[in-house]
Amino acid sequence: LVVGGELKNTFCIGVDSRFYSSPYVGDLDDLRTVKALQETIHRFRTLLEVEPKVVVCDLHPKYNSTVVAESLGYPMLQVQHHYAHILSCMTENDCQEPVIGVSFDGTGYGTDGTIWGGEILLADYQDFTRFGSITPFLQIGGDASAKEGWRIAVSMIYGYTKDREKAWEIIEKLGLCSEQESKVQFTMADRKINAVMSTSAGRLFDAVSAILGIRRQSSFEGEASTALQFAAEAFEQKQTSDLSERHNICQELIFESEEHCILNTEALVQQIVEAKLQGADSGALAYLFHQTLAEQIVAACKAAREHSGRAKVALSGGVFQNRLLLRLTEEGLEQEGFDVLRHHMIPPNDGGIAIGQAAYGMCWLQGQDK
């Protein structure tokens, strides 16, 4: 039995290598939804006439889904969020081989206690290695930062300038926030108040949307990043420019840190900021952001192939609901000779991770039986 994720929750029961996925349950930040999850699990178990040998949940210790899993009284396995995304894509495509997994979404609890969300993983059904990620940044403000992309933009600008005066000069020109709001953000960053290191690809999209003046904040989940996608697609369709500034955007796509491969998203953001301040069109920059990020993903996958010998790439996570990024990434990978796996039936967002958790749990049980 797997209890799925915290948002867009679905659960799943695996029986004899068959997976019975539940209908959509919902976000578990509401206790009524938690109760609905518990009741629906009971109905499924009764319908299928099964007694679980193990329950699988997310790695996050404070998720309500984890609390539900613990309350069931069975042996429990915990699976890292982005690894579960990749396993769900592998399972849907009936892939038995090890893959390079590109797992891009909002947030998930990392094995190092930080927020992950823009990850390059080397994965199979037994385990994974974190090969790379987007450039880490300081995510300030907790849940508020998920709705207010300007906060992430301010943090990123302060992060690369490392100077309050320079950062405020840029922030003021971009119209991101008031001077008082910027000072609060700077102080929270300096003192690490309600701030944690993050590689969230979703928050990266929100920040770029704010920088380009498309959406400073979201009134519903994904509004800012979706508006950024629409602006990029509108520019692509009009083809009003020959993209002459393309060569100025982010020459170094990836670099190696002491720990793993890093997608050079900090430099990408910095150069988009500079281009915007020089008067470049927001639609053109939105498209260039998608294009360059796709190129960075392809470059990271090429580095992963050289390291591991793997030529199969699985794309998963809610960010890959962005059809422009998905298309550009898939085309770029195929041009480099990769075999690309993507979702067609199972949602790439958190509604699909239960299948990945189930695949891990089933593999673990088979190992125990041996």
Side-chain angles (χ1 to χ4, degrees):
L1 167 66
V2 301
V3 296
E6 190 74 357
L7 303 178
K8 308 169 193 68
N9 179 271
T10 62
F11 67 90
C12 180
I13 292 180
V15 185
D16 298 331
S17 297
R18 296 188 304 275
F19 299 130
Y20 298 90
S21 185
S22 78
Y24 176 80
V25 177
D27 294 352
L28 298 181
D29 54 0
D30 190 314
L31 291 179
R32 293 171 296 182
T33 315
V34 175
K35 186 177 181 182
L37 171 62
Q38 294 170 320
E39 292 174 349
T40 314
I41 287 174
H42 176 72
R43 293 193 188 102
F44 252 60
R45 286 175 49 202
T46 302
L47 178 67
L48 296 174
E49 298 180 334
V50 292
E51 186 68 20
K53 294 181 180 178
V54 65
V55 59
V56 188
C57 67
D58 194 90
L59 191 63
H60 199 299
K62 295 184 179 180
Y63 273 180
N64 282 330
S65 56
T66 306
V67 174
V68 170
E70 290 171 339
S71 70
L72 294 170
Y74 300 108
M76 192 172 83
L77 297 176
Q78 291 182 277
V79 182
Q80 201 281 323
H81 186 89
H82 301 96
Y83 176 41
H85 272 303
I86 299 306
L87 291 180
S88 73
C89 186
M90 292 172 65
T91 302
E92 176 177 347
N93 288 278
D94 196 24
C95 172
Q96 303 298 322
E97 306 164 42
V99 302
I100 301 166
V102 183
S103 188
F104 273 36
D105 66 358
T107 59
Y109 190 79
T111 56
D112 58 0
T114 65
I115 295 174
W116 291 7
E119 309 305 315
I120 310 293
L121 308 178
L122 300 176
D124 56 34
Y125 289 104
Q126 286 77 35
D127 204 356
F128 78 95
T129 301
R130 190 190 194 198
F131 178 81
S133 72
I134 68 170
T135 309
F137 59 89
L138 202 59
Q139 186 166 331
I140 304 167
D143 291 341
S145 64
K147 299 176 182 177
E148 299 177 343
W150 66 266
R151 293 178 183 268
I152 304 296
V154 167
S155 176
M156 287 183 170
I157 292 168
Y158 186 42
Y160 73 74
T161 60
K162 297 179 173 58
D163 183 283
R164 288 195 177 205
E165 288 187 13
K166 289 181 181 178
W168 167 241
E169 184 180 343
I170 294 169
I171 291 162
E172 184 180 27
K173 289 178 180 177
L174 293 173
L176 289 172
C177 65
S178 69
E179 186 173 8
Q180 182 59 36
E181 286 172 325
S182 72
K183 288 179 178 178
V184 171
Q185 293 296 301
F186 298 157
T187 300
M188 292 175 71
D190 291 341
R191 297 180 182 178
K192 301 296 187 292
I193 300 170
N194 197 15
V196 63
M197 292 307 296
S198 171
T199 55
S200 168
R203 300 296 78 78
L204 171 66
F205 272 76
D206 292 345
V208 173
S209 187
I211 288 165
L212 296 181
I214 295 170
R215 289 287 189 282
R216 288 180 64 250
Q217 57 190 38
S218 298
S219 58
F220 57 87
E221 185 187 7
E223 180 182 5
S225 54
T226 303
L228 181 68
Q229 173 196 328
F230 291 164
E233 289 176 329
F235 173 80
E236 183 185 40
Q237 289 170 4
K238 286 190 295 185
Q239 289 294 313
T240 56
S241 166
D242 62 357
L243 297 177
S244 58
E245 66 264 59
R246 174 68 185 93
H247 65 280
N248 293 323
I249 299 292
C250 207
Q251 293 287 310
E252 186 182 21
L253 296 174
I254 60 172
F255 61 91
E256 296 289 332
S257 74
E258 293 181 2
E259 297 178 352
H260 55 264
C261 172
I262 299 290
L263 280 68
N264 201 7
T265 47
E266 182 178 79
L268 174 57
V269 168
Q270 182 175 352
Q271 289 164 17
I272 283 176
V273 167
E274 291 170 357
K276 178 63 179 174
L277 292 176
Q278 291 168 8
D281 177 69
S282 288
L285 292 176
Y287 181 78
L288 287 170
F289 168 72
H290 283 78
Q291 187 180 50
T292 307
L293 183 59
E295 290 175 359
Q296 291 182 349
I297 292 170
V298 173
C301 288
K302 287 171 66 178
R305 178 170 61 186
E306 291 175 9
H307 174 80
S308 67
R310 303 177 188 187
K312 199 175 289 265
V313 178
L315 305 177
S316 191
V319 169
F320 282 111
Q321 292 176 120
N322 182 317
R323 59 198 174 200
L324 177 59
L325 181 68
L326 177 62
R327 171 168 58 82
L328 292 173
T329 303
E330 189 172 18
E331 289 174 354
L333 287 167
E334 288 175 346
Q335 287 172 6
E336 293 294 336
F338 287 98
D339 182 10
V340 183
L341 308 179
R342 50 175 289 196
H343 291 279
H344 298 278
M345 297 182 296
I346 297 169
N349 65 19
D350 285 7
I353 67 168
I355 294 294
Q357 292 175 345
Y360 181 83
M362 191 71 75
C363 183
W364 183 85
L365 280 176
Q366 289 172 350
Q368 296 298 301
D369 292 340
K370 291 178 183 178

